[in-house]
């Protein structure tokens, strides 16, 4: 119930539509009730089955008084205008009532469409915003395919299973209340008996619903695993084919798919049980009420009349459809709540890197970057220390290179600067200001990153470069491409800058992709540049072009470079040698070579 109310909170943004829906549904129920109770009394009066009431009855809130008032008004009109004219007038009245009834029904559904789709829109947006705000450490622990499944399959399940029941939630309670009040006026004793029977039925339906929720949760987890396997398969097809690993993955996918099939069958069978189960229980209730009410009518000491009992059963029969809809909606909600919990698990994940609300004014990068006794640990079951008491100062306009064997903490060290992660202890300063006191967007706006794996999007070349500065002109984009040695290959492509590069830029070579990421960084024109092994996966020709572009990019710019190639780092102003999360050596290329230490050994082995 907590999850259901959490989703309904999103409907507050569409309160005007909710109110209109309730109002229109109220009119719909009223006209439904009127159309139901008018026909029999009128036909009794028309065919002389009931004598007309000659005097206006005193008004009171009772069924007999309302019926007598109807007989009096209709009898008076029939006496004045004749039966044929009254019949014609009544036929027009019935048509008008049914027209208004269905008009209000459509108006209610029209308003509910805005609420349903709006809530799902907001839910999907909130989930996407959460994914953008989550720390990188979260994604190293979660399957990407499972997150995609939560965004698509689970949100769609919420729309189908929960949002589709909003109409029931807003309309049917009012319908049931109006009918119950009418029945209460007709026979309080019989109405209380009906309520007891409905309560017992609800307990049985609830037991089945809880089982459905549990199975639905397992099913959505299996679907998430399936999506993950598919995502990994598409992303790794080259390796899968080269290693003939298709059969293994096929078996893995088939086993998971078969498990999902079994769970889905169980879920559907439990959900499909709702309609026949509720119908059987309803008939049992009708039979018991018929027996109990019939006994009251046959009891001469009881005031319940046969005509009233027939009217009671007629109205009670109209109570059955909304009650069945409630039962079906309950089953659907249980299935949707399992998906809602999976979505909430993501949205409730703590945001480790938070925007500081008390930021200081920071306009221009002036002096330098300082790491002071910085330590960092990844927490994944147990704490694993990656950086230990790291300190250094990088003056503005200088180039620092980080070298060391894989796992020495180089990438983690630079990831702390744009606050992809938070240090466990120590602090990082820019111009003597703790970066946690700088607005997060402002901090990241002055940092450019070129990584080993070029991150491009399935869009045009122009839009991929423009991501570096969305306010830039086309001339600025082309200028950045020229600096990155990318303009020539762009112009030789099919549609120039409007060429779509495919998923992750797969229509381009590795060197071309890397030069586009450099062009993007050039367009951003950051004060601080981070190069994370930007040339390590390129061939010699591509490396020369990319290296030339990087030198242009780093000119007069504060740069931190992680590289495996000697050609990239030998001209650094200072080289920091890292080992097991510590800086073990530092100095220029020549100084470190002459010290015959760790750096010298790495150069000899080319194991940066």
């Amino acid at each position: 119930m907590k999850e259901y109310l959490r989703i309904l909170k999103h409907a507050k943004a569409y309160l005007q539509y909710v109110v209109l829906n309730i109002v229109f549904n109220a009119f719909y129920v009223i006209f439904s009730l009127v159309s139901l109770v008018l026909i029999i009394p009128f036909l009794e009066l028309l065919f002389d089955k009931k004598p007309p009431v000659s005097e206006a009855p005193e008004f009171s809130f009772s069924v007999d008084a309302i019926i007598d008032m109807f007989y009096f008004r209709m009898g008076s009109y029939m006496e004045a205008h004749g039966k044929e004219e009254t019949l014609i007038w009544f036929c027009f009245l019935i048509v008008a009532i049914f027209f208004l009834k269905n008009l209000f029904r459509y108006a209610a559904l029209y308003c509910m469409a805005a609420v349903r789709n709006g809530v799902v829109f907001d839910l999907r947006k909130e989930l996407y915003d959460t994914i953008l705000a989550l720390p990188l450490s979260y994604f190293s622990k979660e399957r990407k395919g499972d997150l995609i499944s939560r965004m698509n399959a689970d949100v769609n399940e919420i729309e189908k299973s929960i949002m589709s029941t909003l109409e029931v939630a807003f309309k049917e309670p009012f319908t049931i209340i109006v009918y119950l009040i009418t029945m209460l006026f007709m026979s309080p004793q019989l109405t209380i008996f009906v309520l007891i029977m409905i309560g017992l039925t609800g307990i049985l339906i609830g037991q089945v619903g809880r089982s459905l929720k549990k199975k639905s949760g397992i099913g959505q987890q299996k679907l998430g695993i399936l999506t993950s396997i598919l995502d990994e398969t598409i992303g790794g097809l080259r390796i899968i084919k080269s290693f003939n690993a298709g059969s293994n993955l096929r078996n893995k996918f088939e086993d998971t798919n078969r498990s999902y099939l079994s769970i889905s069958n169980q879920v559907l069978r439990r959900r499909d049980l709702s309609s026949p189960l509720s119908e059987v229980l309803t008939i049992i209730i009708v039979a018991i009420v018929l027996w109990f009410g019939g006994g009251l009518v046959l009891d001469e000491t009881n005031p319940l009349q046969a005509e009233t009992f027939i009217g009671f059963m007629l109205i009670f029969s109209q109570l059955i459809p909304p009650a069945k809809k409630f039962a079906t909606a309950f089953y659907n909600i249980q299935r949707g709540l399992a998906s809602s919990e999976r979505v909430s698990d993501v949205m409730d994940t703590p945001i480790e890197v938070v925007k500081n609300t008390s930021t200081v004014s920071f306009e221009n990068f002036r002096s330098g970057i300082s790491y002071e006794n910085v330590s960092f640990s990844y927490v994944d079951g147990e704490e694993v220390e990656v950086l230990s008491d790291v300190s250094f100062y990088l003056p503005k306009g200088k180039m620092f290179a980080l070298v060391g064997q894989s796992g020495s903490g180089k990438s983690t060290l630079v990831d702390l600067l744009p606050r992809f992660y938070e240090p466990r202890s120590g602090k990082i300063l820019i111009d003597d200001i703790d970066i946690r006191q700088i607005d997060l967007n402002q901090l990241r706006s002055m940092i450019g990153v070129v990584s080993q794996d070029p991150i491009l999007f399935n869009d045009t070349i122009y839009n991929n470069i423009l991501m570096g500065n969305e306010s830039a002109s086309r001339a600025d984009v082309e200028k950045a491409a020229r600096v990155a040695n990318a303009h020539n290959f762009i112009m030789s492509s099919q549609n120039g800058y409007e060429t779509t590069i495919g998923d992750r830029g797969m229509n381009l070579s590795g060197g071309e992709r890397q030069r586009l990421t450099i062009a993007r960084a050039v367009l951003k024109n950051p004060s601080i540049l981070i190069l994370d092994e930007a040339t390590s996966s390129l061939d010699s020709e591509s490396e020369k072009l990319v290296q030339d572009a990087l030198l242009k990019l780093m000119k007069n710019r504060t740069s931190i470079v992680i590289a495996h190639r000697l050609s990239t780092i030998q001209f650094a102003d200072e080289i920091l040698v890292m080992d097991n999360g510590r800086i073990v050596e530092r100095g220029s290329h020549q100084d470190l070579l002459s010290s015959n230490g760790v750096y010298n050994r790495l150069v000899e082995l080319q194991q940066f």
Side-chain angles (χ1 to χ4, degrees):
M1 191 64 181
K2 179 181 176 182
E3 283 294 326
Y4 185 68
L5 293 176
R6 178 174 179 170
I7 291 175
L8 288 187
K9 285 182 181 178
H10 287 83
K12 287 183 179 179
Y14 307 94
L15 187 60
Q16 68 273 27
Y17 290 106
V18 173
V19 172
L20 286 173
N21 175 269
I22 294 174
V23 170
F24 290 143
N25 273 322
F27 279 109
Y28 167 76
V29 173
I30 291 170
F31 279 107
S32 296
L33 186 61
V34 170
S35 65
L36 185 69
V37 300
L38 274 183
I39 296 177
I40 293 178
F42 174 77
L43 293 179
E44 286 181 337
L45 196 62
L46 182 69
F47 298 123
D48 299 324
K49 299 295 183 180
K50 188 78 175 179
V53 178
S54 56
E55 296 183 0
E58 293 184 6
F59 180 79
S60 65
F61 287 101
S62 67
V63 176
D64 291 338
I66 294 173
I67 293 176
D68 287 344
M69 179 62 71
F70 175 80
Y71 282 142
F72 171 72
R73 294 295 183 189
M74 291 302 299
S76 300
Y77 188 90
M78 193 178 300
E79 184 177 350
H81 300 87
K83 290 185 176 182
E84 289 186 4
E85 184 177 335
T86 303
L87 179 61
I88 294 173
W89 174 86
F90 186 77
C91 289
F92 278 112
L93 178 63
I94 289 296
V95 170
I97 289 174
F98 272 86
F99 173 78
L100 291 173
K101 167 188 168 182
N102 286 280
L103 178 64
F104 285 119
R105 171 68 174 150
Y106 174 74
L109 291 173
Y110 182 91
C111 294
M112 184 51 59
V115 179
R116 283 182 57 177
N117 295 326
V119 169
V120 173
F121 169 84
D122 292 340
L123 193 63
R124 189 176 281 114
K125 179 181 181 297
E126 184 179 343
L127 180 58
Y128 186 77
D129 289 342
T130 301
I131 289 174
L132 287 178
L134 285 171
L136 294 181
S137 56
Y138 176 84
F139 300 97
S140 63
K141 295 179 290 186
E142 299 291 334
R143 286 174 173 263
K144 183 174 66 174
D146 185 57
L147 290 174
I148 294 172
S149 178
R150 294 181 195 225
M151 172 68 82
N152 292 326
D154 285 303
V155 173
N156 287 339
E157 184 62 44
I158 290 171
E159 198 280 330
K160 289 191 299 182
S161 300
I162 295 181
M163 300 313 297
S164 62
T165 66
L166 284 183
E167 175 68 13
V168 175
F170 291 147
K171 182 181 81 117
E172 305 308 340
F174 186 80
T175 304
I176 292 173
I177 290 171
V178 170
Y179 285 168
L180 282 175
I181 291 174
T182 306
M183 292 162 60
L184 197 62
F185 273 111
M186 300 176 77
S187 175
Q189 186 179 7
L190 199 54
T191 304
I192 292 172
F193 182 77
V194 167
L195 289 174
I196 293 172
M197 297 303 300
I198 291 176
L200 294 175
T201 303
I203 293 173
L204 179 60
I205 291 174
Q207 293 295 326
V208 180
R210 278 188 284 273
S211 172
L212 177 64
K213 178 184 175 182
K214 181 180 179 181
K215 291 294 182 181
S216 295
I218 297 173
Q220 292 303 112
Q221 290 175 3
K222 294 293 183 183
L223 181 59
I225 295 173
L226 277 177
T227 307
S228 295
I229 296 173
L230 179 61
D231 177 70
E232 292 169 356
T233 300
I234 294 173
L237 274 176
R238 185 185 298 273
I239 300 299
I240 293 170
K241 291 180 181 295
S242 62
F243 283 90
N244 286 323
S247 59
N248 293 333
L249 283 170
R250 187 181 295 109
N251 292 335
K252 181 180 179 182
F253 184 87
E254 185 174 345
D255 290 343
T256 307
N257 197 24
R258 194 172 298 280
S259 176
Y260 177 63
L261 171 65
S262 175
I263 292 294
S264 297
N265 285 338
Q266 294 177 46
V267 169
L268 286 175
R269 285 164 184 164
R270 279 172 171 78
R271 191 180 67 174
D272 292 341
L273 182 63
S274 64
S275 181
L277 178 63
S278 60
E279 186 164 342
V280 169
L281 291 174
T282 300
I283 292 302
I284 292 174
I285 292 175
V286 169
I288 294 175
V289 171
L290 191 61
W291 164 78
F292 184 76
L296 293 177
V297 173
L298 295 175
D299 185 359
E300 295 181 357
T301 62
N302 194 286
L304 183 64
Q305 300 297 315
E307 296 86 353
T308 305
F309 177 62
I310 293 173
F312 183 96
M313 291 302 297
L314 183 63
I315 295 176
F316 177 59
S317 68
Q318 298 303 303
L319 191 66
I320 293 174
K324 285 180 64 178
K325 288 179 182 178
F326 250 126
T328 303
F330 179 77
Y331 284 103
N332 287 335
I333 288 172
Q334 294 304 311
R335 179 171 178 174
L337 288 180
S339 292
S340 177
E341 288 177 357
R342 280 170 47 82
V343 172
S344 295
D345 285 343
V346 178
M347 293 195 293
D348 292 341
T349 302
I351 307 299
E352 297 172 8
V353 179
V354 296
K355 294 184 178 181
N356 197 312
T357 55
S358 57
T359 58
V360 298
S361 177
F362 190 91
E363 297 180 359
N364 296 310
F365 176 41
R366 294 185 178 88
S367 56
I369 303 167
S370 177
Y371 278 62
E372 295 184 359
N373 308 112
V374 173
S375 297
F376 177 79
S377 301
Y378 288 111
V379 180
D380 188 11
E382 61 181 28
E383 195 170 282
V384 180
E385 190 171 65
V386 180
L387 297 175
S388 178
D389 199 31
V390 174
S391 298
F392 66 88
Y393 179 72
L394 172 58
K396 179 182 179 182
K398 299 295 183 181
M399 169 188 171
F400 267 29
L402 299 178
V403 300
Q405 292 183 329
S406 295
S408 61
K410 304 185 298 294
S411 294
T412 302
L413 185 67
V414 297
D415 283 345
L416 295 177
L417 184 58
R419 294 185 68 194
F420 295 153
Y421 305 99
E422 296 284 19
R424 186 192 68 195
S425 62
K427 56 185 177 180
I428 303 172
L429 308 174
I430 297 179
D431 292 352
D432 296 324
I433 300 174
D434 192 321
I435 61 172
R436 287 170 291 195
Q437 297 301 315
I438 302 174
D439 178 77
L440 188 59
N441 290 331
Q442 190 176 29
L443 172 67
R444 291 176 177 173
S445 69
M446 64 181 182
I447 299 173
V449 179
V450 180
S451 60
Q452 177 181 2
D453 297 319
I455 306 300
L456 297 172
F457 301 90
N458 193 356
D459 204 338
T460 63
I461 291 174
Y462 179 82
N463 286 337
N464 270 277
I465 298 175
L466 192 65
M467 186 175 290
N469 181 2
E470 294 186 354
S471 63
S473 65
R474 189 173 189 87
D476 292 332
V477 171
E478 292 186 9
K479 182 179 178 180
R482 291 180 191 276
V483 173
N485 293 332
H487 180 74
N488 289 339
F489 89 77
I490 293 173
M491 295 308 297
S492 64
S493 60
Q494 184 177 7
N495 297 311
Y497 281 87
E498 301 305 319
T499 301
T500 301
I501 60 177
D503 188 35
R504 301 176 186 176
M506 294 305 293
N507 293 341
L508 304 176
S509 68
E512 290 170 342
R513 290 198 297 270
Q514 194 64 283
R515 279 179 275 167
L516 285 188
T517 64
I518 295 171
R520 187 165 61 199
V522 171
L523 187 65
K524 185 177 183 180
N525 192 27
S527 302
I528 301 167
L529 181 65
I530 296 174
L531 303 178
D532 190 354
E533 305 185 52
T535 62
S536 61
S537 61
L538 302 179
D539 56 59
S540 298
E541 183 178 355
S542 296
E543 182 189 2
K544 185 178 184 304
L545 290 168
V546 171
Q547 188 68 42
D548 181 58
L550 289 175
L551 290 174
K552 295 177 185 176
L553 178 60
M554 289 187 293
K555 187 176 181 181
N556 299 322
R557 201 183 303 271
T558 308
S559 305
I560 302 177
V561 179
I562 301 173
H564 285 186
R565 305 287 179 91
L566 187 61
S567 58
T568 306
I569 64 173
Q570 60 183 337
F571 302 111
D573 295 294
E574 188 169 5
I575 299 171
L576 306 182
V577 184
M578 300 193 66
D579 187 38
N580 292 324
R582 295 177 179 271
I583 297 177
V584 295
E585 292 179 359
R586 60 191 303 167
S588 66
H589 173 65
Q590 292 300 329
D591 290 342
L592 291 174
L593 282 179
S594 61
S595 66
N596 199 30
V598 177
Y599 180 77
N600 187 62
R601 187 173 68 253
L602 291 173
V603 170
E604 290 177 353
L605 298 175
Q606 281 286 302
Q607 291 186 355
F608 295 127

